[in-house]
């Protein structure tokens, strides 16, 4: 196995554009899939004397304990794994004279810095160029429709990540086409706005026009 990557053009601000210079590119990891809790639980169980139920309980407790500590602004260190710590964001334009400025601060996210032991565990990785296009796959609208028809012939639901994999798109390109497909009435989101789950609408991708959608 290897880490798959693609080459992408490095964005340059308009005011810094120099037509005499060659466009630079950079590598990004792509389409390497993901491992869920079930698989991690099974692998931990095989490496320990714990049952899968025990592992699930530990992982659940770890999540709660880490959440409690991080919510207090503490840095959490797990030996051999790394450091977790909260980061903040504030609204733009705040000055020392801004009224109620403390209310304009929010949690931005949780960052992670790996321990040397975890980096060493990863070891010397193999790298493989997935494609040489330097950008998301170039597919026509018709080609996208064909891929979606084949996908929905075997699946009922589709996430954004599924769509990225189906078409070989990066996140921004996938979001652009999903917005277009939704506006054209070919798909609809039956999930949350922040966690969309798409299904084909009646008359598209093999779905009968007489279908009645139930939620």
């Amino acid at each position: 196995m290897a880490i798959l990557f693609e080459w992408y053009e490095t964005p340059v601000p308009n005011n810094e554009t120099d037509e005499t210079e060659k466009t630079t590119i950079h590598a990004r990891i792509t389409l390497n899939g993901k491992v869920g809790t079930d698989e991690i639980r099974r692998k931990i169980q095989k490496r320990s004397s714990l049952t899968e139920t025990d592992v699930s309980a530990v992982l659940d407790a770890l999540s709660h304990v880490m959440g409690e500590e991080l919510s207090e602004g503490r840095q959490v260190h797990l030996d051999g794994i790394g450091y977790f710590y909260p980061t903040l964001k504030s609204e733009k334009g705040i000055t020392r004279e801004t009224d109620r400025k403390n209310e304009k601060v929010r949690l931005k996210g949780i960052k992670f810095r790996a321990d040397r032991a975890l980096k060493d565990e990863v070891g010397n990785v193999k790298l493989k160029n997935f494609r040489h296009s330097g950008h998301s796959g170039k597919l026509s609208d018709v080609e996208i429709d064909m891929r979606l028809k084949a996908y929905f012939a075997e699946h009922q639901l589709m996430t954004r990540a599924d769509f990225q994999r189906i078409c070989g798109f990066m996140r921004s390109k996938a979001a652009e086409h999903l917005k277009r497909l939704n506006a054209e009435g070919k798909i609809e989101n039956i999930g949350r706005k922040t966690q969309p789950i798409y299904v084909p609408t009646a008359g598209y991708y093999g779905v009968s026009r007489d279908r009645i959608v139930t939620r």
Side-chain angles (χ1 to χ4, degrees), residues 33-80:
K34 64 180 179 181
V35 177
T37 304
D38 289 346
E39 183 65 18
I40 293 294
R41 182 178 62 240
R42 284 193 291 270
K43 290 186 175 182
I44 292 177
Q45 189 275 325
K46 290 180 179 179
R47 288 173 173 262
S48 68
S49 60
L50 301 174
T51 66
E52 286 195 28
T53 301
D54 292 335
V55 176
S56 293
V58 171
L59 291 175
D60 183 63
L62 177 62
S63 174
H64 287 295
V65 171
M66 288 183 63
E68 291 172 356
E69 299 301 324
L70 291 167
S71 68
E72 294 293 333
R74 298 188 184 93
Q75 177 177 262
V76 176
H77 178 230
L78 300 179
D79 289 340

Side-chain angles (χ1 to χ4, degrees), residues 12 14 16-23:
V12 179
N14 292 332
E16 296 182 15
T17 301
D18 185 346
E19 295 183 357
T20 64
E21 294 185 3
K22 292 184 177 180
T23 301

Side-chain angles (χ1 to χ4, degrees), residues 2-202:
I3 293 179
L4 305 179
F5 70 93
E6 294 183 63
W7 289 107
Y8 292 84
E9 291 186 2
T10 303
V12 179
N14 292 332
N15 59 352
E16 296 182 15
T17 301
D18 185 346
E19 295 183 357
T20 64
E21 294 185 3
K22 292 184 177 180
T23 301
T24 60
I25 59 177
H26 62 280
R28 289 185 195 169
I29 291 177
T30 184
L31 297 176
N32 280 25
K34 64 180 179 181
V35 177
T37 304
D38 289 346
E39 183 65 18
I40 293 294
R41 182 178 62 240
R42 284 193 291 270
K43 290 186 175 182
I44 292 177
Q45 189 275 325
K46 290 180 179 179
R47 288 173 173 262
S48 68
S49 60
L50 301 174
T51 66
E52 286 195 28
T53 301
D54 292 335
V55 176
S56 293
V58 171
L59 291 175
D60 183 63
L62 177 62
S63 174
H64 287 295
V65 171
M66 288 183 63
E68 291 172 356
E69 299 301 324
L70 291 167
S71 68
E72 294 293 333
R74 298 188 184 93
Q75 177 177 262
V76 176
H77 178 230
L78 300 179
D79 289 340
I81 295 180
Y83 295 83
F84 298 81
Y85 54 96
T87 59
L88 303 176
K89 65 178 178 180
S90 56
E91 296 178 10
K92 294 181 179 179
I94 296 178
T95 67
R96 293 188 180 278
E97 289 72 35
T98 300
D99 291 335
R100 303 171 69 178
K101 54 182 172 289
N102 290 350
E103 298 178 9
K104 303 180 186 298
V105 182
R106 299 288 184 272
L107 176 69
K108 181 178 182 180
I110 306 299
K111 287 198 172 183
F112 170 72
R113 178 165 58 85
D115 269 0
R116 170 59 61 182
L118 180 59
K119 295 178 181 178
D120 291 342
E121 190 70 27
V122 174
N124 295 321
V125 301
K126 295 181 180 179
L127 302 175
K128 182 178 179 181
N129 187 196
F130 184 71
R131 76 169 109 251
H132 299 276
S133 63
H135 44 66
S136 289
K138 291 184 177 179
L139 298 177
S140 68
D141 292 353
V142 173
E143 289 174 320
I144 292 173
D145 284 342
M146 291 174 64
R147 294 196 180 196
L148 289 180
K149 183 175 181 179
Y151 175 84
F152 283 119
E154 299 181 357
H155 304 80
Q156 292 183 330
L157 308 173
M158 180 181 71
T159 64
R160 177 191 49 76
D162 291 330
F163 185 69
Q164 285 183 240
R165 185 180 67 256
I166 294 165
C167 298
F169 290 150
M170 290 299 294
R171 182 175 186 136
S172 59
K173 192 68 173 179
E176 176 186 324
H177 279 287
L178 287 170
K179 183 178 180 180
R180 173 184 62 80
L181 291 167
N182 188 67
E184 293 175 354
K186 294 181 178 180
I187 60 174
E188 63 175 327
N189 175 21
I190 62 171
R192 298 178 180 177
K193 184 176 181 180
T194 55
Q195 295 179 314
I197 299 175
Y198 299 98
V199 296
T201 57

